Amino acid sequence: MIKALIFDLDGTLIDTLKDIMGAMNETLAHFSLSPQPITVYQALIGGGSKNMVQSLLSAFALSTSTSSSSHSSLLSIPSLVGDSFPNLDEVYAFYLRHYGENLIKKTVVYDGVIAALQQWQQQGIKLAVVTNKHHQQATYLLETLFDTDNAKGIHFSLLQGLGDEFSKKPAPDSTLHVLNQLNVKAYEALFIGDTVVDQQTANNAKVEFVFADWGYGRQDELIPQHKLNSISHIDELQHRLESAKCSLDKHDMNESVLATEGRK
């Protein structure tokens, strides 16, 4: 049976996009750079906040370069308001501080998530989170959004956010660490996420991937594979768990037969 569900955070369990956009646009305004619409941020979420800042600054640099005849396709409006251009570390530090002070203004848990997590936990399934969001921010969000009467009983066995210990997704390091800490084999877990980064992470860790179609990524951005498990609402994951149980029961039976034959 499936013993653990490993979830991405942003775009999978919780909708953080509006708060990320708000904090980043405030940051851009502080450095005399023009704010961007929500579609720009939706395309950038998944690779971590520093990657988002770097991508934005690179696009701004391209759109204001004298060698470029057109604006970057990433940006939908004129980019530079002032005369100076800030460096990455300066902008990134400002954004982290500003976002950290405004984590839960518009951020919410997706519909159906709390009830589904309660159900799976009652079934004895371990719940974990692997995210490219900074560990401290991810911890605060989980503790705040899931520490309510409505979310009573939900316990995440492990949260692994971005820090100095492991490389960010799609490196498998944090996912493999979670599996090891939970004493769960890769084939006994599912990785649920909403971006190609999550898909790559799951593939690199040899964990089956389930695409959360309600999130920020698009299915046409994913790596083509023989079979893609895609769900449009978290309730649909229960059906995947039931079919996975049949496959795992067969896997365990085969392993038992091989072990018995090996002892003969």
Side-chain angles (χ1 to χ4, degrees), residues 197-232:
V197 172
D198 296 317
Q199 182 191 30
Q200 292 171 321
T201 304
N203 291 346
N204 291 339
K206 310 301 182 187
V207 177
E208 185 173 343
F209 176 66
V210 178
F211 177 62
D213 198 29
W214 60 84
Y216 307 140
R218 301 197 315 269
Q219 190 163 322
D220 61 10
E221 297 172 334
L222 300 178
I223 302 168
Q225 57 186 59
H226 176 65
K227 181 181 179 182
L228 176 65
N229 296 307
S230 178
I231 56 176
S232 58

Side-chain angles (χ1 to χ4, degrees), residues 27-34 57 60-61 64 79-88 90-91:
T27 300
L28 294 177
H30 176 80
F31 290 99
S32 297
L33 295 169
S34 57
L57 291 183
F60 283 131
T64 57
S79 57
L80 195 62
V81 177
D83 297 326
S84 60
F85 199 79
N87 65 58
L88 171 61
E90 187 180 10
V91 177

Side-chain angles (χ1 to χ4, degrees), residues 208-261:
E208 185 173 343
F209 176 66
V210 178
F211 177 62
D213 198 29
W214 60 84
Y216 307 140
R218 301 197 315 269
Q219 190 163 322
D220 61 10
E221 297 172 334
L222 300 178
I223 302 168
Q225 57 186 59
H226 176 65
K227 181 181 179 182
L228 176 65
N229 296 307
S230 178
I231 56 176
S232 58
H233 191 279
I234 196 165
D235 289 346
E236 297 174 21
L237 188 57
Q238 181 62 30
H239 299 298
R240 181 67 198 92
L241 290 175
E242 292 168 358
S243 62
K245 182 180 185 303
C246 295
S247 298
L248 286 175
D249 287 346
K250 184 177 180 180
H251 181 280
D252 291 340
M253 183 175 67
N254 290 339
E255 280 200 340
S256 177
V257 170
L258 289 173
T260 302
E261 291 179 347

